[in-house]
Amino acid sequence: MVTIREIAEKSGVSIATVSNIINDRGKASEETEAKVRKVIEEMHYVPNAMARNLKSKRSMSIGTIVEDMTIFSVPDILDGITDYFDHHGYKVLLTNLRLFKNYGDSYYNKDFYYDMVHKEVQKLVNLQVEGVIYVASHERKLPVFATDMDIPAVMAYGYSQNEKVPSVVVDDENGMYQITKKVIEAGHKKIGLITGKSDSLHAQARLMGFQKALYESSFPIDPGFIKVGDWERESGFNNTDELLKHGATAIMCMNDIMAGGVYDRLEKKGLRAGQDVSVTGYDDRQLSVYYRPPLTTVALPLHDIGYRAAGILFDMIEGKSKTVQKDGNRVEEVPCALEIRDSLVDVNH
């Protein structure tokens, strides 16, 4: 490993001068700095981060605990976290609890794994991380952080029950509101909706957005146009007939998977999504662009949730955190984006 002493000898300057240049202290002339940086590049010098961190008494690392890497939302959130900290010189240590892999979604409303989280947090504390981000697989209220935590923490894609721990979540209500307004603007007056599971915070927020858009457009809210699904493709398939019998010209789904089930049922009936019936989804899964026709949907801001959670944690570490207060806890909602594709038919013409 190349040392500062070797850089100094080859450059013909003192060790102190090389140290000042490496640490951007600006005490060398432009000519000297250019010469030293050229030698650094030629010798492929890499600063000893461990030694530097020991000297500053900082680990320059944060811990990230994810419920399960196999859930579609998690990798993009994690990418946002690492994107942010890469630009700030921090290492990101990852703990994958593998909860969905081991228990399916049955763990969502259970608390048996909280002790597991507490132990993983303590392991990260022992590694001297400067903060922790918990990444949930599905938004819900999560009392996973102990009240006596002595390092900063942030909840991503879930609602923290610890007043010291801010939460960063998706603005589901506004996302569903925006796409419902688009369907209304396209001239549809009989709009069916297939929801997710009724105990889901995502489904509850999306239903609020749907109803708000109908109310603002003076559309009656007809319970016959609202069917309860379970996020799976089969529930999209099974609820399509009832909505068509009710006269729906557009079928909105609370996720892209159920929208695929609607496509399947329409095809079996000799109908075409995007021609005979408009169909919309939610989440903007990668598969949505491969549906025929490509699916109009709402893109979740997953990378932005991770990036924002990282930014909040960084500010907490630096002592300058500012977040929005909501229901006694600090919550920040990140907006979604619409993806308008060929599955939405404009019937105004």
Side-chain angles (χ1 to χ4, degrees), residues 75-272:
D76 281 345
I77 295 174
L78 187 60
D79 183 58
I81 293 169
T82 55
D83 185 9
Y84 185 92
F85 281 114
D86 279 351
H87 287 93
H88 288 79
Y90 278 69
K91 299 184 298 294
V92 178
L93 308 183
L94 173 65
T95 298
N96 180 16
L97 299 177
R98 304 181 75 245
L99 294 174
F100 190 85
K101 191 79 171 178
N102 291 326
Y103 307 105
D105 65 3
S106 65
Y107 80 90
Y108 285 168
N109 298 312
K110 305 289 177 59
D111 61 5
F112 67 87
Y113 61 93
Y114 293 173
D115 285 342
M116 185 192 312
V117 177
H118 295 161
K119 289 176 183 177
E120 293 301 330
V121 169
Q122 190 55 54
K123 289 178 185 177
L124 290 168
V125 170
N126 292 343
L127 290 171
Q128 298 183 321
V129 298
E130 299 192 38
V132 175
I133 298 176
Y134 185 91
V135 180
S137 302
H138 186 84
E139 284 187 359
R140 58 205 192 280
K141 296 177 181 178
L142 285 163
V144 294
F145 284 121
T147 55
D148 59 350
M149 280 189 64
D150 54 4
I151 62 171
V154 176
M155 175 77 67
Y157 211 53
Y159 292 88
S160 165
Q161 297 299 282
N162 183 335
E163 291 185 1
K164 297 178 181 178
V165 179
S167 304
V168 183
V169 297
V170 60
D171 191 350
D172 266 322
E173 180 177 334
N174 188 58
M176 196 70 190
Y177 169 82
Q178 294 294 340
I179 195 169
T180 305
K181 291 289 282 186
K182 283 292 182 184
V183 173
I184 293 170
E185 289 168 6
H188 294 277
K189 300 189 184 313
K190 294 186 176 182
I191 304 169
L193 175 69
I194 303 175
T195 74
K197 292 182 177 180
S198 56
D199 63 350
S200 163
L201 295 183
H202 293 287
Q204 292 165 14
R206 292 172 194 179
L207 182 60
M208 289 287 290
F210 175 77
Q211 292 174 329
K212 179 182 176 183
L214 294 185
Y215 177 79
E216 287 187 1
S217 300
S218 300
F219 281 28
I221 298 174
D222 183 345
F225 279 114
I226 300 175
K227 301 298 177 183
V228 178
D230 62 3
W231 306 116
E232 300 299 331
R233 195 174 185 115
E234 188 175 359
S235 68
F237 186 99
N238 291 338
N239 282 300
T240 298
D241 281 1
E242 285 298 315
L243 292 172
L244 292 177
K245 287 177 185 176
H246 217 65
T249 62
I251 298 177
M252 302 184 67
C253 301
M254 285 193 182
N255 77 351
D256 299 337
I257 302 297
M258 292 188 296
V262 175
Y263 273 50
D264 294 341
R265 185 56 186 150
L266 291 176
E267 184 178 1
K268 278 190 173 292
K269 293 175 70 68
L271 300 173
R272 280 274 296 168

